Amino acid sequence: MSQEISIWSKIKRLLIVLPYNEELEYFEYLAALDEIMNQSNVQDLKIIVPLPKQVKKEILPTHRLIHYFSPKDLSFFGKLRDEEMERIIVQPYNAMIWFCTDDKKLMKLLKNVHSPWKVGVNISNDFFSIKVDSKSEKPSEVVQFTFKTLDKISGYE
């Protein structure tokens, strides 16, 4: 007999796309994710942060889990210039969670990422297999709502 468990409890490898609209909001997202990840089964986490043109990724703090994506990382013909990003997108993941950013270039780049669950949070696009809409725009509440929702969705093993 198969046992019903939540999607969230099945995720071991996770790719997250986080918005960078303003510095304070970005760090609120990171703090909320840190809290959630400490209570999860996730063993391998990668975070991609698409940056606006005016933000230089060289001035942002580096972290082994976080990769900044700049529009300058793509050539005129759409070829990726960033080798680390290339390594990230060819890996298989159990889920990809995309928070509140509508970066078309990054979406095109990540469309072939191997992930059975592609979750769009506060973004409507046919790219996502699961769409979650939080009524709040506060980063900590958006993150909490997303993971509580994924914990309610069941899968079978």
Side-chain angles (χ1 to χ4, degrees):
M1 186 169 157
S2 61
Q3 184 179 0
E4 183 179 326
I5 61 172
S6 74
I7 287 175
W8 177 235
S9 63
K10 288 181 170 184
I11 298 174
K12 305 281 188 263
R13 299 199 65 200
L14 178 61
L15 177 63
I16 293 179
V17 177
L18 276 185
Y20 189 101
N21 299 324
E22 61 181 47
E23 189 174 8
L24 182 62
E25 180 184 82
Y26 167 67
F27 286 112
E28 286 177 27
Y29 270 109
L30 290 179
L33 281 173
D34 187 39
E35 187 178 313
I36 292 289
M37 291 301 130
N38 287 333
Q39 306 163 18
S40 75
N41 293 327
V42 175
Q43 297 166 358
D44 184 20
L45 173 66
K46 298 290 185 230
I47 300 172
I48 298 175
V49 181
L51 299 173
K53 288 179 183 178
Q54 66 271 21
V55 177
K56 293 183 177 19
K57 67 181 184 178
E58 297 79 25
I59 64 168
L60 295 170
T62 59
H63 191 284
R64 65 180 182 84
L65 301 177
I66 301 171
H67 189 80
Y68 299 105
F69 175 75
S70 167
K72 297 173 188 170
D73 291 337
L74 291 175
S75 72
F76 179 73
F77 296 106
K79 181 164 174 36
L80 190 57
R81 296 178 178 151
D82 186 328
E83 291 177 16
E84 180 62 24
M85 179 68 114
E86 190 73 49
R87 283 191 286 275
I88 291 170
I89 64 176
V90 298
Q91 298 296 313
Y93 297 94
N94 298 117
M96 177 172 65
I97 301 175
W98 190 295
F99 286 96
C100 313
T101 180
D102 193 18
D103 187 306
K104 304 262 188 265
K105 290 180 180 181
L106 183 59
M107 203 170 285
K108 186 176 181 181
L109 192 62
L110 296 180
K111 72 178 179 187
N112 293 324
V113 166
H114 175 72
S115 172
W117 296 304
K118 292 179 179 163
V119 181
V121 181
N122 290 356
I123 184 169
S124 61
N125 192 304
D126 292 338
F127 177 73
F128 305 107
S129 53
I130 299 172
K131 296 175 188 170
V132 177
D133 289 318
S134 170
K135 291 184 173 138
S136 175
E137 291 184 16
K138 186 176 178 188
S140 61
E141 292 175 5
V142 171
V143 169
Q144 285 286 337
F145 176 77
T146 301
F147 292 106
K148 284 181 181 179
T149 302
L150 290 177
D151 199 35
K152 292 178 184 176
I153 301 173
S154 297
Y156 292 93
E157 278 197 348

